[in-house]
Amino acid sequence: MAAPCEANGAEWTIGRLLNWTSEFLASHGVDEARLAGEVLLAHAANCRRIDLYARFDRPLDGEQLDRFREWVRRAAAREPIAYLVEEKEFFSLAFRVTPDVLVPRPETELLVECALDHCAKTGLTEPKLLDLGTGSGCIAVSVLTQLAGATAVATDVSPAALDVARFNVDRHGVADRLLLVEADRLALPDGVVPEGGFDMLLSNPPYINPDTMDGLDSTVRDFEPRIALTDGEDGLSFYRSIAADAPRLLAPGGVAMVEVADCQAAAAVEVVEATGRFAHKETRADRVVGQERLLVFSLAPKA
Ligand code: GLN
């Protein structure tokens, strides 16, 4: 197969590039290679994905083609597409992402949906949220864009991640309702816990057991930040921290919603319930692979 952009006769139109790239990326084991090709081309051509199809016969200009060629080379080496174009869609919103943050996953949208369902069901119109390990900020920002009365404190231990989150908070216009805080786990600085406590703790913590890191897809293992993937212990230590330290941060009747690793739901329930301060209320499975992915706990009244 001739490499795109080599002067070999036919012009490299968007249509030809898309077909060539889809095949090339698929042959390198890239998931959803056609979609990946579309995302890269749309960013290179500076248009929306659907607009590509109206521009099939148009060529990219020289600079666009150079950028695209470089991205395709890196994508074939399994670099996440989201890091190349510095953007990922989550909950129908565009989030900036860099290698300092985890790439937002579709299954994590479950956490946003569940938080919104909880507010609707309990009549919470002004929920106070704590997003532990916010990364790109995608969870807290998405909830706040849906609920005009919601406010949030979003923490991360990584200042570089907080810079990315800050960009997204500004981009989506929620800066007046969302406070970004550098903190390790639940060691929050004075003055950030709202009076009466948070109504909800939301978290997609680093839950990969370090012993299983080697088995991860290289796109994840070799490119995403290790501290966002694994706790370096047994994958359950963030649930232990929540069980121990979240009760004093939550309002009476407060809830904790957490994402869990494949096949780890039962182990996480055991860990969170171990202190006797939380009761497991609900499990949700992700729609794509059917894995139990989200656990909801409510704060039990003090004995
Ligand atoms: N869900 C991510 C993965 O599949 C891991 C994210 C996390 O550890 N919270 O690799």
Side-chain angles (χ1 to χ4, degrees):
M1 208 184 298
C5 17
E6 277 169 5
N8 63 346
E11 190 171 41
W12 282 101
T13 58
I14 285 181
R16 271 190 83 207
L17 281 170
L18 183 55
N19 291 333
W20 186 91
T21 304
S22 304
E23 266 184 59
F24 180 71
L25 293 182
S27 74
H28 282 74
V30 173
D31 277 350
E32 300 187 284
R34 177 114 189 151
L35 174 64
E38 286 179 2
V39 170
L40 294 176
L41 254 178
H43 275 83
N46 209 7
C47 68
R48 294 175 308 167
R49 250 173 65 215
I50 49 164
D51 297 331
L52 292 173
Y53 288 85
R55 301 180 186 200
F56 247 52
D57 298 330
R58 291 199 216 163
L60 292 186
D61 70 31
E63 219 172 277
Q64 292 172 336
L65 199 51
D66 285 349
R67 191 152 67 133
F68 180 70
R69 185 165 49 173
E70 167 72 5
W71 281 345
V72 171
R73 187 186 63 70
R74 289 165 61 183
R78 311 307 306 280
E79 212 168 312
I81 305 298
Y83 290 159
L84 299 174
V85 300
E86 298 194 334
E87 192 167 281
K88 176 75 182 177
E89 188 181 305
F90 177 85
F91 215 75
S92 301
L93 299 167
F95 283 90
R96 173 173 165 77
V97 295
T98 73
D100 290 314
V101 300
L102 202 69
V103 176
R105 312 280 205 267
E107 59 265 33
T108 304
E109 293 176 347
L110 212 52
L111 207 48
V112 177
E113 285 168 21
C114 195
L116 294 172
D117 287 352
H118 176 77
C119 293
K121 212 166 52 191
T122 58
L124 264 175
T125 53
E126 297 182 355
K128 301 182 189 84
L129 315 176
L130 173 61
D131 177 8
L132 167 62
T134 195
S136 65
C138 64
I139 297 169
V141 169
S142 298
V143 175
L144 264 54
T145 61
Q146 299 297 308
L147 268 184
T151 53
V153 170
T155 69
D156 209 286
V157 72
S158 156
L162 289 169
D163 286 343
V164 177
R166 191 163 294 113
F167 183 95
N168 289 319
V169 165
D170 290 340
R171 175 185 254 184
H172 296 296
V174 295
D176 55 340
R177 294 185 285 134
L178 193 153
L179 181 66
L180 290 166
V181 171
E182 186 181 331
D184 189 5
R185 303 203 180 196
L186 291 162
L188 301 187
D190 287 344
V192 306
V193 182
E195 217 180 298
F198 294 102
D199 298 301
M200 263 188 265
L201 179 153
L202 308 175
S203 188
N204 173 20
Y207 54 58
I208 307 283
N209 184 315
D211 297 343
T212 65
M213 284 290 287
D214 282 351
L216 293 182
D217 192 289
S218 72
T219 301
V220 175
R221 185 192 59 226
D222 299 338
F223 294 98
E224 297 199 80
R226 197 176 163 86
I227 58 160
L229 292 169
T230 179
D231 57 0
E233 296 180 32
D234 62 354
L236 296 169
S237 70
F238 273 73
Y239 308 119
R240 280 186 203 97
S241 296
I242 289 169
D245 298 327
R248 67 187 161 75
L249 302 173
L250 289 173
V255 296
M257 299 180 180
V258 294
E259 187 170 312
V260 290
D262 290 2
C263 308
Q264 290 302 299
V269 167
E270 197 179 317
V271 159
V272 176
E273 287 191 331
T275 55
R277 295 301 319 282
F278 281 108
H280 174 224
K281 289 290 173 200
E282 190 183 339
T283 298
R284 291 196 189 188
D286 81 50
R287 286 180 284 265
V288 184
V289 288
Q291 276 284 343
E292 292 180 330
R293 186 59 72 216
L294 174 73
L295 300 174
V296 183
F297 299 90
S298 66
L299 194 58
K302 257 192 181 143

